[in-house]
Amino acid sequence: MSDPISLSPAPGFIEPRLREEFSGLRLDWVTVPVRRRNSPPELVARLKMLSSRYRGADVVAMRTKPIPQAFRIFFRQIGLDPDVTRIPSEEVAVARLLHGGFRSAGLIEDACLVALIETAVPVWALDADLVDEGGLGIRTVSPADLERPAAQRPPLSAGSLAVADRRRVHAQLFGPPAPGHEVGSRTTRAMLFSIAVAGVPAIHIEESLWTCLDWLV
């Protein structure tokens, strides 16, 4: 992607059919200079503090809160059972219970995790140089997408929903980046993106991205 660094979140495109079918579906993205490194002590301490928020009863009660509930409703709309395929905020909460705490995985991963924990709105990171200059959005997978080698894309089926640019798919919707599309050792610019659905106010997707950016810039 040839666009310069921009620390102002921009709205991604939504395929017209999806915009009509799923009112409120939204993707925002922002580019930021990065390099892979360990998290600073303050971020590790923040994760440790946030770990204390979660007990078994809290995780069960989480699904009744407005933002998690909005994501659960959307998962059902796209054919996913949120009790089997967990929404992002519930997935990390369950992982915390299993592991006894949030584990530091590096600056970028930890910044995205803190943003998710604090806002319930997920953030992911891609290598910005792999994204077409037209920007990032949400669209259905086309037959042309399936012509790419399986090792260079997430597991896909034609018509499924994906985070993509106009030329290629970078992740399944709500899934991790495809192999090689994540922020790697040679990445100098990351594209952070966040997804919201109907029932999630716009301010929350902006807050999620800015929470992540606060740790990275």
Side-chain angles (χ1 to χ4, degrees):
M1 182 175 178
S2 59
D3 291 349
I5 294 293
S6 170
L7 295 181
S8 297
F13 69 85
I14 304 295
E15 185 177 301
R17 181 183 69 81
L18 299 179
R19 187 185 301 114
E20 182 177 348
E21 184 175 359
F22 303 112
S23 174
L25 181 60
R26 175 174 175 175
L27 181 148
D28 282 13
W29 59 267
V30 62
T31 55
V32 59
V34 297
R35 61 182 180 85
R36 291 204 64 83
R37 60 187 177 92
N38 294 331
S39 292
E42 312 92 89
L43 182 49
V44 175
R46 183 66 177 168
L47 281 177
K48 184 176 180 180
M49 186 277 291
L50 290 171
S51 293
S52 65
R53 283 190 184 182
Y54 292 98
R55 300 292 185 269
D58 299 319
V59 175
V60 173
M62 179 188 296
R63 64 185 56 187
T64 65
K65 296 180 179 180
I67 293 179
Q69 191 173 62
F71 280 107
R72 287 177 64 86
I73 290 170
F74 182 81
F75 268 41
R76 291 193 181 96
Q77 289 177 329
I78 62 174
L80 297 176
D81 182 349
D83 293 324
V84 177
T85 304
R86 294 188 178 94
I87 64 171
S89 58
E90 290 181 11
E91 184 176 15
V92 298
V94 170
R96 178 261 176 258
L97 295 180
L98 292 176
H99 299 146
F102 293 119
R103 298 178 174 179
S104 177
L107 175 60
I108 298 161
E109 294 85 349
D110 292 354
C112 291
L113 178 57
V114 167
L116 172 58
I117 297 167
E118 294 190 342
T119 68
V121 179
V123 178
W124 295 266
L126 297 170
D127 186 326
D129 288 337
L130 299 179
V131 182
D132 186 75
E133 63 181 16
L136 201 62
I138 299 173
R139 63 173 174 81
T140 52
V141 174
S142 70
D145 293 318
L146 302 180
E147 295 175 1
R148 285 187 168 273
Q152 299 176 15
R153 57 175 172 81
L156 301 167
S157 58
S160 59
L161 305 186
V163 174
D165 55 35
R166 301 295 182 183
R167 297 187 301 119
R168 62 181 140 181
V169 169
H170 296 282
Q172 284 185 307
L173 191 64
F174 295 107
H181 294 231
E182 68 276 6
V183 174
S185 59
R186 297 184 179 182
T187 301
T188 58
R189 299 184 310 133
M191 176 171 285
L192 307 176
F193 68 93
S194 186
I195 297 171
V197 297
V200 177
I203 192 171
H204 287 277
I205 192 171
E206 295 167 4
E207 180 187 1
S208 188
L209 285 170
W210 280 113
T211 299
C212 190
L213 284 169
D214 282 344
W215 291 104
L216 298 177
V217 297

